[in-house]
Amino acid sequence: MHLLKLIQTFLHYYHLITAWEKKTDITTAINIATKKRLDLLVQELRTKLASLSSVTHTSVKEAKERHLGSKALKTELESLACQRFQQVKELSTKNVVSTIRQWAIHEENVAKDEIQCLSDAIKEIERVLRQNEKMIKADGGAHLFASSGVG
């Protein structure tokens, strides 16, 4: 919305400047033609000058002031946009860091759970081996093969 207004202000200023330059050029040509006594050319140029839209020096100055004001507004908008972008960038970075931190904590907890399960499994194996230690010494470990159907 603001950008459209800026463009419209610039175009209005540009058209006024262009019309002012044409008016100045035609006026200069009329002065030269008058000095050289080219009456037909002077009449033709005056007709052309009358057909131009009424552009005054004041209207050009006002348009220039509006244009300069719109440039200042544009600069302020760009500054605000950069600040907002920086804020969003910082917030996004914080969110990514937080997500990575949460993921690392989750992975650490999963690893701790897995270590606990492995520890429990090792303790169970050791308990079973201690209970059957006499039987293992007696048969030399043949009972291990008998249960699997190999022996």
Side-chain angles (χ1 to χ4, degrees):
M1 181 74 168
H2 292 289
L3 185 59
L4 181 61
K5 187 146 181 102
L6 290 173
I7 292 170
Q8 288 173 342
T9 304
F10 173 76
L11 288 176
H12 178 69
Y13 174 66
Y14 175 76
H15 290 302
L16 277 177
I17 290 292
T18 304
W20 178 256
E21 288 174 350
K22 281 183 185 178
K23 184 177 179 182
T24 305
D25 290 347
I26 292 172
T27 304
T28 304
I30 289 173
N31 290 338
I32 293 171
T34 303
K35 286 181 185 175
K36 295 192 177 195
R37 296 191 175 118
L38 301 170
D39 296 330
L40 186 60
L41 182 58
V42 170
Q43 288 176 353
E44 186 180 317
L45 289 171
R46 284 194 177 146
T47 306
K48 198 172 196 178
L49 183 61
S51 69
L52 283 178
S53 62
S54 61
V55 178
T56 63
H57 186 63
T58 306
S59 65
V60 172
K61 285 179 96 176
E62 289 172 354
K64 182 178 180 181
E65 288 173 12
R66 282 194 304 272
H67 174 65
L68 292 176
S70 69
K71 286 177 81 175
L73 180 63
K74 178 185 169 199
T75 304
E76 288 178 31
L77 286 173
E78 286 177 357
S79 174
L80 287 173
C82 286
Q83 289 174 359
R84 180 70 179 130
F85 176 72
Q86 189 65 29
Q87 289 172 350
V88 168
K89 190 169 85 173
E90 289 171 5
L91 181 63
S92 296
T93 302
K94 286 179 184 177
N95 287 342
V96 167
V97 168
S98 175
T99 302
I100 291 172
R101 201 173 273 135
Q102 290 295 324
W103 177 65
I105 289 170
H106 171 74
E107 287 295 320
E108 187 177 338
N109 289 336
V110 168
K112 285 179 183 178
D113 290 346
E114 289 175 351
I115 288 172
Q116 184 61 42
C117 288
L118 287 172
S119 176
D120 291 346
I122 290 171
K123 286 178 185 175
E124 180 64 21
I125 291 171
E126 288 173 348
R127 186 186 64 75
V128 168
L129 287 176
R130 269 191 230 107
Q131 285 178 352
N132 298 326
E133 192 174 329
K134 291 178 185 175
M135 189 181 351
I136 292 172
K137 285 182 181 176
D139 69 358
H143 72 284
L144 296 174
F145 297 105
S147 62
S148 65
V150 176

